Amino acid sequence: MMKMTCLAAVSVAALASFPAQAQPGDWWSRLDPERLAGGEIHLELQYEGETDGFMRYGWRSEGDDIVLYDRTMWASGEVYETMEVRMRRDGLAPVSSDIRFHQGANYYVFDIDFEPGSAAGSVQIVQPASGVSSQPLSSDLTDGAILRASYFLVAAAFPFEIGDSVSFNWFATMSNTEEAVTLTAIGEAEVETPAGVFRALHVEQRGGTPPNDIYIDRESGRIVRIDVGGQPMSFVAPAD
């Protein structure tokens, strides 16, 4: 397993002394335009310390929109996901979300479109033993809610410094639920990965399910590790 050594421990009291740098409604205006223009996060999935899959997550600008994709595989869990979502650059307002999620012999196809204040679409369920079924999905959304799928983009594009905090609501397409989420830069860590050792900013994602700890290389600004809360699972920068 990889190891991390805290370089700058930040206590609860110290965190309380920092002013909040981004509040709901204005945090997105501070996203780095160059990083929003395009990028990719390619990480190796490790489960119980063993290589067991990958995540390839990327995005590009397309006019006034950002188009985002994800390809994630967890081999021993028999899970594979492909996703394409579209959002407005202005506020990351969701436009559409298309997900194909495989688990074992079954797979699920989500097709969701968004209007201000609402999400609507369907999920098709394909089970070889019992055939194909479909269910409608709909949900009300609060003003300013973003897609759960876009929060790694937020982590990569926001100019975090220690003590900065970003709060928003995310909508999770597959669970058809909205949750309040906060990203907080709590300190620095030395992160050892197959790609090498990085001096990284430690950003906690809390409030959503599951919680994650995200580590962003201080030199390059790229995400080099993500720890999944409650599971012996991490995504780490792979060897070249």
Side-chain angles (χ1 to χ4, degrees):
M1 288 291 290
M2 293 164 293
K3 60 183 179 181
M4 293 175 293
T5 304
C6 287
L7 301 178
V10 180
S11 68
V12 173
L15 277 174
S17 69
F18 283 99
Q21 297 298 313
Q23 297 299 328
D26 68 358
W27 59 266
W28 54 267
S29 66
R30 295 185 60 202
L31 297 175
D32 185 329
E34 290 188 9
R35 292 185 183 177
L36 280 182
E40 185 176 78
I41 302 166
H42 179 209
L43 300 174
E44 171 186 296
L45 188 158
Q46 292 192 347
Y47 187 74
E48 295 184 337
E50 300 294 331
T51 300
D52 199 16
F54 66 89
M55 177 178 80
R56 192 177 287 276
Y57 172 106
W59 64 92
R60 70 180 188 278
S61 290
E62 196 171 278
D64 293 332
D65 292 351
I66 294 174
V67 179
L68 183 150
Y69 65 88
D70 177 39
R71 306 287 185 267
T72 297
M73 182 184 72
W74 176 21
S76 65
E78 297 188 68
V79 168
Y80 186 74
E81 175 188 273
T82 65
M83 176 184 67
E84 291 83 30
V85 304
R86 180 178 290 267
M87 66 198 79
R88 302 298 186 209
R89 176 187 287 269
D90 185 9
L92 304 187
V95 176
S96 63
S97 178
D98 296 286
I99 299 173
R100 189 177 178 108
F101 182 83
H102 293 251
Q103 185 164 30
N106 304 329
Y107 69 87
Y108 309 82
V109 181
F110 294 83
D111 181 4
I112 308 294
D113 293 311
F114 298 86
E115 297 291 343
S118 67
S122 64
V123 56
Q124 184 183 65
I125 305 163
V126 182
Q127 299 173 297
S130 56
V132 179
S133 62
S134 183
Q135 296 178 6
L137 295 175
S138 64
S139 182
D140 294 331
L141 300 182
T142 58
D143 184 44
I146 67 173
L147 288 172
R148 182 185 187 277
S150 62
Y151 88 97
F152 287 138
L153 170 60
V154 175
F158 191 83
F160 280 109
E161 293 298 337
I162 295 172
D164 283 349
S165 182
V166 176
S167 295
F168 49 82
N169 282 14
W170 77 24
F171 176 74
T173 301
M174 291 199 296
S175 63
N176 198 39
T177 58
E178 186 175 325
E179 297 177 290
V181 176
T182 299
L183 301 180
T184 305
I186 66 167
E188 291 185 346
E190 186 177 272
V191 181
E192 185 177 331
T193 76
V197 179
F198 298 92
R199 176 174 165 263
L201 185 69
H202 179 185
V203 176
E204 285 187 342
Q205 168 254 307
R206 296 294 184 267
T209 307
N212 286 300
D213 289 86
I214 303 166
Y215 297 89
I216 304 168
D217 177 37
R218 285 298 229 173
E219 182 175 347
S220 67
R222 69 188 179 103
I223 294 174
V224 293
R225 174 172 172 153
I226 301 165
D227 291 338
V228 180
Q231 297 188 49
M233 178 184 290
S234 295
F235 294 86
V236 297
D240 293 337

